[in-house]
Amino acid sequence: MKYTIFKKVGILAVVFAVFAACSSDDESEIDIVATSEDIVITSTNSTGTAEGDTDNTGADEDDLVENATFGNTVQIVFSNTSATITNPVPDDVVITQDGVDVVINSSISEVAYEVSGTTNDGMLKIYSDKKFKLSLTDLSITNTDGPAINIQSSKTIFVILEGTNSLTDASSYSNIPDDEDAKATFFSEGQLVFSGSGALNVAGNYKHGIASDDYVRVISGTITVTEAASDAIHTNDYIIVDGGTLNLTASSDGMDCEEGYIIINDGTFNINAVDDGIVASYDIDDEEEPDDSITPNVTINGGDFVISTSEGEGIEAKGIMTINDGTINISAYDDGINAIGNLYINGGHIYVYSTLNDAIDSNAGITITGGTTIAISVRTDEPDGSFDTDDNLFKITGGTILGLALNTSFPTVSESTQNSVIFDGVSSNTLLNIQSEDGTEALTYQVPYSVNTIIYSNAKLETGKTYKIYTGGSVSSGTEVNGLYTSGTYIGGTYLGDSFTINSTVTQIGGDLGPTGEPGEGGQR
């Protein structure tokens, strides 16, 4: 005999059908097929104690232009064939012109340069031993044989953006002295601190779009690198972004700090890079005698990110990475998020998609204490995971975690305080629902891809409770982001007998683990 049981909206109907007479050695077969009652979707997101780089904003009062004074103002107005210059201190600020090439040698402090106008074959070059202010107002410079702006000063340059400014360099540089460095459309030996309400558009034909041999800080303004033969923004010491909008297109990295760290406090980022989107690239492992003073860390305290890479990683730190907040959307060819050191996720809304490698990867360990993280890797011919810790620490104490891939690392039971479940994937474009036996919703998610393994963690998964997995159905009056529903009503899903009971911090009822195939300490498989 075969029995089929249907359940919908609180009404249980039992239909018995006898298909054939059974002999004495026949076995009865029972399939359970049930339809979900209306289930209210709730938004639950617990938070554990934040770990990692939790309170580092890189604040420095010396980076605020309002804390500096400028007693002398030099005005430069470019035209196609000449430049008009107003210089009240000619003995201390010596300016030479060769056509529309303007070279400044300053020996005094507190100088403000106001630059505007248009030239199709010119440049601005400044030598100074003192910090200064450089205000750009509706300026357009194209240089046919070098950088558009070349700052040969190791001091702080306050760049104030007003109106719309455009800079374009040559595809090859000539007439650059052997003892000078010049590797970007807007290049500086010293610190570049951008602010203002205007825009700066940069085309980097030779190498980088914007580069500093010290650091770059963006406080406000809109910076667009339309193209860069190498990196859109490149620095040696560090990059800090406090606000503004950065639209970066690059043949290599979007933002690269060569020998230091990156801190992002706020801002809007649209990055399209061939290689990495954001990277602190000093590789300690590749150095014969690494500099212990260099900390190639990435700290994200906020901001809105849309990052796409065609060959590289989304965000990479050769040291540790800490994500405290922000809205991050990554579509990467290689790892979506990668840290050579520990990776800490304390908050934010993170969506990571990788086509070639792991979605989220750390060589030292991953700790998640809060936020919402969705990590997807769609590659099926290599053992790539949604979360990959190389069998190191995988600690979960809060937040919402969803991982879809061929496999996943196993959360460390002895360190995790929030329950997780690992199970088989379902068909693509399938609505997935997990609910307790008493009808309490634990997960409602529109699965975008067919994968082998799903890992899910949330405070909704309570110890001692039994949960059922439903597929199909629909959601009415729902709110979802990246497929994850946080409100609405789940209706009409089909239960085909898959259930599990939370008896351990990690419950595995299906799916696969990473290449080592070993669970974390005390894990239940």
Side-chain angles (χ1 to χ4, degrees), residues 76-83 96-103 118-124 141-143:
I76 302 169
V77 180
F78 283 96
S79 68
N80 281 328
T81 57
S82 64
T96 59
Q97 290 180 252
D98 181 6
V100 199
D101 292 348
V102 176
V103 179
T118 299
T119 177
N120 294 321
D121 186 14
M123 70 151 190
L124 175 65
I141 296 178
T142 297
N143 192 1

Side-chain angles (χ1 to χ4, degrees), residues 248-320:
L248 309 177
T249 301
S251 296
S252 186
D253 302 323
M255 297 168 60
D256 179 10
C257 183
E258 189 173 334
E259 297 183 354
Y261 57 87
I262 297 174
I263 300 173
I264 298 175
N265 297 311
D266 203 353
T268 300
F269 301 81
N270 298 289
I271 300 176
N272 288 280
V274 173
D275 202 357
D276 299 334
I278 298 173
V279 57
S281 62
Y282 180 77
D283 198 335
I284 297 172
D285 292 339
D286 287 347
E287 295 289 329
E288 293 182 4
E289 295 182 4
D291 188 341
D292 293 337
S293 67
I294 297 176
T295 54
N297 301 335
V298 173
T299 300
I300 298 176
N301 297 314
D304 293 319
F305 302 79
V306 177
I307 299 173
S308 176
T309 70
S310 58
E311 295 181 10
E313 299 178 329
I315 304 176
E316 181 181 17
K318 295 295 186 179
I320 70 170

Side-chain angles (χ1 to χ4, degrees), residues 8-72:
K8 185 173 183 180
V9 196
I11 301 174
L12 180 63
V14 181
V15 179
F16 298 97
V18 179
F19 296 101
C22 298
S23 63
S24 60
D25 57 352
D26 284 342
E27 292 182 358
S28 296
E29 181 183 358
I30 300 176
D31 285 345
I32 301 176
V33 179
T35 304
S36 171
E37 298 180 357
D38 292 0
I39 301 296
V40 176
I41 300 168
T42 60
S43 177
T44 300
N45 214 16
S46 65
T47 302
T49 301
E51 298 186 33
D53 195 12
T54 59
D55 56 2
N56 183 12
T57 64
D60 187 347
E61 291 188 355
D62 290 338
D63 285 340
L64 302 177
V65 66
E66 54 265 32
N67 292 336
T69 57
F70 302 96
N72 299 291

Side-chain angles (χ1 to χ4, degrees), residues 167 185 200-204 207-210 222-233 245-251 253-254 270 272:
L167 303 176
T185 307
L200 174 62
N201 302 317
V202 178
K207 196 171 184 181
H208 307 307
I210 298 171
T222 299
I223 296 176
T224 301
V225 177
T226 57
E227 59 181 317
S230 187
D231 303 334
I233 297 177
T245 299
L246 280 73
N247 305 306
L248 309 177
T249 301
S251 296
D253 302 323
N270 298 289
N272 288 280

